[in-house]
Amino acid sequence: MTKPTIKDPVQLYIGGEFRSAHKGNTFENKSPYTQETLNVVAEGRSEDIDLAVKAARDAFRNGAWGSMKVNERLSYIYKIADLIDKNIEEIAYLESIDTGLPIKQTKKMTSRAASNFRFYAEMVKNRMVGEAYKVDDEFLNYTVQKPVGVAGLITPWNAPFMLETWKIAPALATGNTVILKPAEWSPLTANKLAEIVDQAGLPEGVFNIVHGFGETAGASLVAHPDVQLISFTGETTTGSEIMRNGAASLKRFSMELGGKSPIIVFDDADIERALDACVWGIFSFNGERCTANSRLFLQESIADRFIEQLKERVSNIIVGDPSDMKTEVGPLIHTEHFNRVKHYLDIATEEGAEVYQGTVPSGLENGYFVPPTLLLNVKNEMRVAQEEIFGPVLAVMTFTSEEEAVHMANDIRYGLAGYVWTNDMKKGHRVAEAVEAGMLWVNSQNVRDLRIPFGGSKFSGIGREGGHYAFEFYTEMKVIHVSTAEHHIPQFGKANLASSTATQK
Ligand code: NAD
């Protein structure tokens, strides 16, 4: 692959056109590895959101999209998937330099993006089905699923391309029009997606991108009365602010929020595999992963041995240039996030935890590197055990009994994911059911099939994405009642009419 030029400004994509922001504002996009400016990005604000909503509304109401036959609509979805496949190397590269995620991992992530589009094209064809009820042999009632309208999609920076396509694919395949507000720290692959959609020839206004900041572009999208739904992935506090701001216009919300997921390792587990899964689960994606197993609960009898092995792994993880195929952990995305994660390491020390770290090779001082880190001697009530750090930092705790493990795992406000390691399958099922989270894995790392529901409970989210579960959010269920016989209809006003006619005679 010839490396793409990324110096060009990133523009908004509205109504089928690449354009500057209404007021001409821009912001700089910097490399997390070198701190150099990668490019400037058009900074959309409320005027740009208004324009995008108008384009999306027109395309839905008056344009070709709203009246298009399903198969034709889905042919565009397949086209997007094919074009993603064609550009996969470039997308993986852009994602890596933009976010600091190791290229080996962005290659895997971005290849799943094409599958998201194909999967939803198939789902709409095969699973977007209604129900029919015959009522008293006099009626046929049936349901149909209609697109909701203009969908506002707001996404984070931690796995941008995959998370964006995860929302865009079901939103478009079910017939909505879309405005994407990507995270301001990772605009490059969203911009590539705009180019792909443009090349696929989607009718103008069906898909729009407004880059910009959450407080301006994001907030305007949320408050806009002509946007019917907001699918949001990001921090829990942002999610609740969005729900407040969208209340006046009665938005439909899907919320995929933060996590602090437990991994519980019992003494009867396959320790080597549990270790592999635990290390991957917290240190892949630089630890910036919503489903990361950031709290490790070890049964006391195996704790010392497991911690020794963890230390060995942490010291040997390859930290380096994100575009090197050998790199396992790259730099964190942004100076603000870097400072936030480092601040948590100070808090850990203040709270009395022991901080054990791997190393960052010399020469990488310009990158936002935090070495893979273990927090030992942690107590469940410490802030570092309760709050989402969202970096390569694992809080390690111990337990003696199954009940204690479950209690500690649940003693937190989050409920996104959980991992259980044991060779006693009765216990595996029992604990998986008892842990309060939307998604549990038993003797497995985070392997996900697109058909299954994705989402969290408690402060980790509302609703489910994935599979046919996305239809509940992206479509409006409509019931049509048809009379098939001469059922009784009350005749108000007729009795009086009959008696007055009789009187006249
Ligand atoms: P964030 O909440 O800071 O930002 C996410 C998006 O929201 C960005 O596009 C941002 O510009 C926008 N935004 C911010 N304020 C807004 C406002 N007032 N109105 C409208 N939009 C606004 O999150 P982040 O730092 O980008 O991402 C990290 C977080 O995302 C972590 O908490 C992580 O756990 C979570 N996450 C969750 C999942 C999941 O599926 N549950 C997946 C990935 C990431």
Side-chain angles (χ1 to χ4, degrees), residues 275-478:
L275 183 70
D276 287 342
C278 177
V279 171
W280 165 258
I282 183 63
F283 299 119
S284 57
F285 305 173
N286 302 341
E288 298 160 324
R289 178 176 191 152
C290 57
T291 49
N293 46 249
S294 46
R295 294 185 297 149
L296 168 62
F297 295 102
L298 287 170
Q299 193 145 25
E300 220 152 62
S301 49
I302 54 160
D304 288 348
R305 185 159 61 100
F306 202 96
I307 290 170
E308 276 319 301
Q309 287 173 298
L310 266 178
K311 284 181 173 173
E312 200 183 6
R313 293 291 186 95
V314 158
S315 308
N316 284 294
I317 286 177
I318 303 167
V319 177
D321 178 351
S323 54
D324 184 333
M325 277 297 276
K326 289 195 291 300
T327 294
E328 293 172 325
V329 168
L332 297 183
I333 181 126
H334 192 270
T335 174
E336 258 177 54
H337 187 55
F338 172 70
N339 289 332
R340 186 170 178 265
V341 173
K342 298 255 288 187
H343 182 54
Y344 270 110
L345 301 184
D346 295 338
I347 294 174
T349 310
E350 280 162 27
E351 289 184 311
E354 179 197 338
V355 178
Y356 179 92
Q357 295 192 297
T359 47
V360 177
S362 60
L364 300 182
E365 289 72 20
N366 283 340
Y368 302 124
F369 285 97
V370 170
T373 303
L374 301 176
L375 303 181
L376 305 169
N377 304 323
V378 170
K379 302 273 172 297
N380 208 24
E381 61 277 9
M382 289 179 181
R383 282 184 64 188
V384 290
Q386 293 289 321
E387 296 175 18
E388 185 184 40
I389 299 175
F390 217 54
V393 182
L394 176 66
V396 184
M397 288 164 272
T398 59
F399 66 91
T400 47
S401 67
E402 178 182 328
E403 292 68 30
E404 192 190 5
V406 169
H407 174 76
M408 288 169 86
N410 288 343
D411 190 15
I412 191 154
R413 69 178 192 152
Y414 291 111
L416 187 56
Y419 308 83
V420 184
W421 284 85
T422 173
N423 276 333
D424 174 348
M425 280 321 286
K426 280 189 191 160
K427 184 161 65 185
H429 283 286
R430 216 165 41 228
V431 174
E433 280 215 28
V435 171
E436 294 165 358
M439 299 171 286
L440 264 294
W441 280 266
V442 180
N443 295 337
S444 158
Q445 57 114 335
N446 187 323
V447 178
R448 231 199 116 234
D449 185 278
L450 288 175
R451 289 168 300 180
I452 62 163
F454 183 98
S457 58
K458 294 161 83 174
F459 278 67
S460 290
I462 301 174
R464 293 293 180 268
E465 296 191 343
H468 64 82
Y469 305 91
F471 293 158
E472 278 166 36
F473 182 67
Y474 289 108
T475 67
E476 193 75 68
M477 175 78 83
K478 197 166 173 177

Side-chain angles (χ1 to χ4, degrees), residues 146-308:
K146 306 289 283 183
V148 180
V150 177
L153 313 179
I154 302 179
T155 47
W157 46 260
N158 67 312
F161 196 68
M162 196 184 67
L163 292 173
E164 287 154 11
T165 57
W166 199 337
K167 294 181 190 300
I168 296 164
L172 289 181
T174 51
N176 300 282
T177 55
V178 161
I179 297 154
L180 171 70
K181 208 303 279 170
E184 50 271 41
W185 291 348
S186 59
L188 291 187
T189 47
N191 185 49
K192 184 70 202 171
L193 188 62
E195 288 174 17
I196 284 175
V197 167
D198 199 61
Q199 223 181 321
L202 261 73
E204 63 187 47
V206 170
F207 178 71
N208 307 274
I209 296 190
V210 179
H211 296 278
F213 298 105
E215 302 72 23
T216 47
S220 308
L221 184 62
V222 169
H224 204 294
D226 291 332
V227 174
Q228 280 76 37
L229 61 87
I230 294 286
S231 174
F232 171 74
T233 299
E235 278 190 25
T236 298
T237 46
T238 317
S240 53
E241 187 178 341
I242 286 179
M243 289 184 73
R244 267 195 305 279
N245 294 343
S249 53
L250 274 184
K251 290 276 181 308
R252 173 186 294 212
F253 291 113
S254 161
M255 290 281 154
E256 299 289 352
L257 308 174
K260 186 86 176 176
S261 301
I263 175 167
I264 303 172
V265 184
F266 287 96
D267 57 8
D268 57 5
D270 182 335
I271 300 295
E272 272 302 309
R273 287 181 63 76
L275 183 70
D276 287 342
C278 177
V279 171
W280 165 258
I282 183 63
F283 299 119
S284 57
F285 305 173
N286 302 341
E288 298 160 324
R289 178 176 191 152
C290 57
T291 49
N293 46 249
S294 46
R295 294 185 297 149
L296 168 62
F297 295 102
L298 287 170
Q299 193 145 25
E300 220 152 62
S301 49
I302 54 160
D304 288 348
R305 185 159 61 100
F306 202 96
I307 290 170
E308 276 319 301

Side-chain angles (χ1 to χ4, degrees), residues 29-141:
N29 181 34
K30 297 203 172 200
S31 156
Y33 182 51
T34 63
Q35 298 190 36
E36 284 163 357
T37 299
L38 292 170
N39 51 9
V40 292
V41 183
E43 189 215 319
R45 296 193 182 175
S46 64
E47 298 85 351
D48 304 286
I49 290 289
D50 285 347
L51 206 62
V53 174
K54 188 175 176 322
R57 192 174 140 87
D58 277 356
F60 185 74
R61 286 263 173 100
N62 315 318
W65 198 246
S67 54
M68 193 178 280
K69 293 221 161 106
V70 175
N71 271 343
E72 195 186 345
R73 185 170 84 219
L74 296 182
S75 71
Y76 285 104
I77 308 296
Y78 285 117
K79 249 189 227 168
I80 297 174
D82 293 345
L83 285 166
I84 290 177
D85 275 343
K86 259 197 186 159
N87 289 278
I88 209 77
E89 291 283 316
E90 181 184 341
I91 297 167
Y93 171 75
L94 290 174
E95 188 95 315
S96 174
I97 53 167
D98 210 12
T99 60
L101 292 172
I103 184 111
K104 196 166 176 194
Q105 294 165 35
T106 60
K107 278 189 184 193
K108 277 217 182 96
M109 269 197 244
T110 50
S111 67
R112 285 180 58 185
S115 319
N116 287 338
F117 281 95
R118 288 202 186 92
F119 174 79
Y120 272 106
E122 293 296 313
M123 279 304 272
V124 165
K125 248 194 284 177
N126 302 321
R127 281 296 297 267
M128 207 160 88
V129 289
E131 292 175 338
Y133 302 87
K134 211 170 163 189
V135 183
D136 288 343
D137 288 331
E138 290 188 313
F139 298 97
L140 182 64
N141 294 356

